[in-house]
Amino acid sequence: MRAITLVTFCVSVFLGFNMQASAVEPTADELATAWQWAETKFGETRQKFVSKPGIEVEANHNAVQKSGRFGEPLRIGDATFERGLYCHAASRLVVRLSGRATRFRAVVGVDLNNDTSNGQGSIVFSVLAEGKELFRSGVLHGKEAGVPVDVPLNGASQVVLQIDDSGDGISSDQGDWADARFTMESGGDVWLDELPMPGGPILLDVGVLPFNFAYNGKPFAEQAMTWMKKDVVHEADTDGERTHFAITWVDPATKLEVQALAVSYKSYPVVEWSLNFKNAGSADTPIIENIQPLDVRMERGDRGEFTLHHARGSSCKQNDFEPLQTPLAANGTLRLASEGGRSTSGVMPYFNIESTCNDGALVAVGWPGQWAADFKCDAANGLHLTAGQELTHFKLLPGEEVRSPLIAVQFWKGDWIRSQNLWRQWMLAYGMTRPNGQPPQPQFLASSSRAYEEMIKADSASQMMFIDRFLEEGIKLDYWWMDAGWYVQQNGWPQVGTWEVDQKRFPGGLRPISDHAHAKGVKILVWFEPERVAPGTWLTENHPEWIIGGANGGLLDFGNPDALDWVTNHVDKLITEQGIDLYRQDFNIDPLSLWRGRDAEDRQGISEIKHVTGLLAYWDELIKRHPGLLIDTCASGGRRIDLECARRAVPLWRSDYAYEPIGHQGMTYGLSYWLPYHGTGTVACANAGYYGGGKTPVESYAFWSNAAP
């Protein structure tokens, strides 16, 4: 039982398992919706869906629904139908086929449901092709039997299906195109409900931008038409999987340039975008404020309410990442925001808004800073959703350039759980870091942190001994994990700011340990925390001007070009010289008060933006210099795992609430809705608690409860 001795030896182990869901294929409707969204919001021509086969909804009182109404089958009179479209007059559908059609057949009538069961509803159906009316029904009412439609199309490839009210208003004017299908000249039938149909809860109004901000006291939406379009870019990647959009507006008076950068995906119903602001003039700009890179209106259909699926963030509690479900009723409001300036502290910046029309939109905010999202329902059936950096109120200096948070939207239809699995697949393909072009693999890692108070009392001999003992027991490690305290410090591991290996405990640095590990096929993980700076360290004594907080310590300003250049080159040198394979970055400070306290009244938000963009540039440069480098993002646990961070780093330690089995079963469940890859640690004992100590026996239940993806 020597393996048990290892656990009583006070080690921590970190397990990784492949926990991907089985593949989920996006539907043609979902892909068409995302494609049309990107084209109408960011495309050069603002073209509609007209260039591809499918259904364009030119008018409909509420959402068109395929093969049923709110989960119930289509019913006309006494007959039930498995296929077709449910519409609400006034409705006009333009159907574009991939070839020439000879006939159109269907059964039409008022859908029989609670709204029409007493004969309510009075509508007229018509079919048009090549400008000619081919069919018109009489006035049809609720409870009446369906009317068959069978009309020749004479080779038409575009057909208009229309439902009008009978002149008495549209109350209960709910109609079905049941069993609707086209017979093609080339042979076979094309069913109406098989054709792609853009739609979903977000209105796709042509020319309406999905973002907004105020400039010089006026909303940009009211000024955009008077600004000059500097350039418009619309191009596909060489593999055809992504299409990139870029539109730049220029204020002719002040020379402020606003650029929207967007990406759509061929194989996923996802669109993402962000905004850049640049002062190309010679004077300070007027105030730019309330930047909302996401500003959209959604509709939920003609009954019920929206349902918001979201989650807690990390707060070092048993319920970290708990899934939440919040109804968004008429006239209701909800505000979500991160806590203290770390993106997933308290609240996750990932939401899934489900409408009552069996569709919805999954939204992510990529911003490793302070974000906020507002959900405001009106008295009818609308939801106004805005999201972005929580506070922006600043002027830009000549030549200065800043950016907004990243927004990603996935359109979906059907079941919301299915949409989460579709999101996980997109994250694996495009939303996660990929060292050397490959997604990170399941891993087994171990450390001696519980034996040596992190690395405060560790030395070279102890680290090599532990590596050898694991291998002697036949336990193959992917990484040996060396956490906080390996650097020069006098007061414990929190005293960070002198980023040099303590040569007294580690003669020759960490290189002898990494060489020893590499010779045995084990890689090395090493902990850093470059953003937080403690007093009495090299940084405070030599460069207090780089620190928000000065010589007393505080936050290393990643928005300062000199500080950013120094930390990039210094850490790069340590990674190279010490043989580090996995760079772990912690962040044990709430930066928001430091950012905001530093900014003048007319520069609120600037320090945060500069720090966030500096951080992302820092990680990008490390990855550029070390293409196979995996970065671990930690911020007192999992308090910084937004989309922008996920594209560069993985959370191998998702919460500082550690080891206790029940909480970590819940965390694996909750966090996996949004991130397919995350980790934690185990000491294999149920009573270890938060950083619990002591010699404890192995318990299988505790061990496996802490296994993570």
Side-chain angles (χ1 to χ4, degrees), residues 22 76 104 495:
S22 58
I76 304 174
F104 173 69
Q495 190 183 12

Side-chain angles (χ1 to χ4, degrees), residues 522-545:
V522 178
K523 296 180 180 180
I524 293 295
L525 176 156
V526 177
W527 181 98
F528 290 78
E529 191 183 359
E531 293 162 279
R532 184 175 61 87
V533 183
T537 59
W538 185 90
L539 277 169
T540 55
E541 292 174 357
N542 288 273
H543 288 287
E545 75 279 7

Side-chain angles (χ1 to χ4, degrees), residues 304-635:
E305 57 193 12
F306 288 103
T307 300
L308 177 66
H309 304 278
H310 56 120
R312 299 187 194 278
S314 179
S315 301
C316 190
K317 296 179 181 177
Q318 188 183 47
N319 64 354
D320 279 6
F321 310 115
E322 176 188 2
L324 301 172
Q325 186 168 296
T326 302
L328 300 174
N331 295 315
T333 62
L334 176 68
R335 182 177 179 83
L336 299 176
S338 55
E339 299 172 355
R342 292 182 289 181
S343 58
T344 51
S345 180
V347 182
M348 291 283 281
Y350 302 89
F351 330 109
N352 198 340
I353 304 116
E354 180 183 10
S355 81
T356 54
C357 297
N358 298 316
D359 58 17
L362 194 154
V363 178
V365 181
W367 188 248
Q370 185 69 16
W371 59 269
D374 287 288
F375 305 80
K376 298 179 180 179
C377 293
D378 58 31
N381 58 357
L383 167 65
H384 186 199
L385 170 59
T386 58
Q389 185 180 349
E390 186 178 58
L391 175 62
T392 48
H393 178 92
F394 54 79
K395 64 183 180 182
L396 285 181
L397 309 180
E400 191 173 25
E401 186 171 2
V402 296
R403 60 156 285 188
S404 79
L406 175 72
I407 300 295
V409 175
Q410 173 188 293
F411 301 88
W412 60 267
K413 294 178 180 289
D415 176 65
W416 79 271
I417 289 290
R418 172 188 164 278
S419 78
Q420 297 288 159
N421 281 322
L422 186 58
W423 171 259
R424 286 162 51 85
Q425 289 178 200
W426 178 79
M427 285 292 292
L428 283 168
Y430 294 105
M432 285 179 53
T433 182
R434 300 175 71 87
N436 285 326
Q438 299 298 319
Q441 298 301 304
Q443 300 173 0
F444 185 90
L445 309 90
S447 78
S448 61
S449 294
R450 286 164 52 80
Y452 300 111
E453 298 179 20
E454 305 294 354
M455 290 282 286
I456 297 171
K457 297 180 179 179
D459 56 25
S460 298
S462 68
Q463 298 305 288
M464 289 187 275
M465 178 272 293
F466 260 101
I467 293 170
D468 291 343
R469 286 293 292 116
F470 270 93
L471 299 178
E472 288 170 9
E473 295 293 338
I475 302 173
K476 173 62 173 72
L477 296 178
D478 292 297
Y479 289 92
W480 179 249
W481 182 313
M482 291 189 284
D483 217 87
W486 52 268
Y487 36 83
V488 175
Q489 43 78 25
Q490 298 81 38
N491 302 316
W493 73 263
Q495 190 183 12
V496 290
T498 303
W499 292 109
E500 301 293 344
V501 182
D502 186 347
Q503 296 288 333
K504 294 179 182 179
R505 293 179 291 132
F506 304 100
L510 302 178
R511 190 73 196 208
I513 303 171
S514 62
D515 285 346
H516 182 80
H518 292 158
K520 297 175 182 289
V522 178
K523 296 180 180 180
I524 293 295
L525 176 156
V526 177
W527 181 98
F528 290 78
E529 191 183 359
E531 293 162 279
R532 184 175 61 87
V533 183
T537 59
W538 185 90
L539 277 169
T540 55
E541 292 174 357
N542 288 273
H543 288 287
E545 75 279 7
W546 290 353
I547 303 164
I548 304 177
N552 293 322
L555 184 70
L556 183 63
D557 183 11
F558 273 48
N560 182 308
D562 293 334
L564 182 62
D565 183 66
W566 176 86
V567 73
T568 302
N569 291 323
H570 189 73
V571 171
D572 170 51
K573 182 179 179 182
L574 286 168
I575 290 172
T576 301
E577 292 183 347
Q578 305 304 322
I580 297 169
D581 304 291
L582 200 160
Y583 169 74
R584 170 170 164 79
Q585 182 165 327
D586 208 340
F587 189 38
N588 295 296
I589 187 174
D590 281 334
L592 186 60
S593 61
L594 294 169
W595 287 332
R596 291 185 177 176
R598 184 193 198 197
D599 289 341
E601 183 178 351
D602 60 357
R603 296 278 285 173
Q604 286 293 310
I606 286 292
S607 290
E608 177 183 346
I609 295 172
K610 296 293 182 69
H611 189 98
V612 164
T613 52
L615 170 70
L616 299 180
Y618 168 65
W619 282 351
D620 287 342
E621 185 62 25
L622 290 183
I623 293 169
K624 179 181 177 181
R625 298 184 188 184
H626 306 272
L629 182 68
L630 184 61
I631 297 176
D632 170 25
T633 175
C634 183

Side-chain angles (χ1 to χ4, degrees), residues 52-244:
K52 294 186 178 182
I55 304 168
E56 179 189 345
V57 182
E58 285 198 343
N60 201 74
H61 178 60
N62 278 309
V64 177
Q65 299 179 51
K66 288 188 173 184
S67 304
R69 177 185 180 273
F70 299 107
E72 298 294 328
L74 302 176
R75 294 178 61 195
I76 304 174
D78 295 331
T80 299
F81 300 88
E82 298 293 329
R83 310 197 67 166
L85 295 185
Y86 161 83
C87 304
H88 192 305
S91 174
R92 180 179 170 88
L93 311 180
V94 179
V95 181
R96 292 180 172 84
L97 302 166
S98 58
R100 295 163 63 86
T102 60
R103 304 197 72 80
F104 173 69
R105 287 171 288 169
V107 177
V108 298
V110 175
D111 186 87
L112 184 63
N113 55 63
N114 290 335
D115 295 337
T116 63
S117 59
N118 291 323
Q120 301 98 316
S122 54
I123 53 180
V124 177
F125 290 79
S126 57
V127 178
L128 302 93
E130 297 179 347
K132 298 177 181 180
E133 184 175 275
L134 305 180
F135 168 85
R136 173 175 286 269
S137 72
V139 178
L140 304 180
H141 300 88
K143 298 179 67 176
E144 294 179 353
V147 174
V149 180
D150 187 350
V151 295
L153 295 179
N154 303 316
S157 59
Q158 178 173 307
V159 179
V160 175
L161 304 180
Q162 192 160 307
I163 307 176
D164 297 298
D165 74 89
S166 63
D168 58 355
I170 65 171
S171 177
S172 301
D173 284 355
Q174 302 168 15
D176 295 334
W177 296 95
D179 280 352
R181 58 201 183 276
F182 299 88
T183 300
M184 308 301 294
E185 278 189 359
S186 58
D189 288 343
V190 173
W191 291 80
L192 181 62
D193 57 14
E194 288 180 340
L195 291 166
M197 180 177 65
I202 298 183
L203 296 184
L204 301 175
D205 298 321
V206 176
V208 176
L209 299 171
F211 60 84
N212 208 353
F213 60 91
Y215 185 55
N216 202 16
K218 294 177 59 179
F220 176 67
E222 298 178 5
Q223 306 180 56
M225 295 299 293
T226 64
W227 289 26
M228 179 180 67
K229 290 275 187 66
K230 181 179 179 182
D231 54 61
V232 180
V233 177
H234 180 189
E235 59 186 19
D237 277 354
T238 54
D239 62 4
E241 283 298 317
R242 285 174 284 192
T243 299
H244 299 264

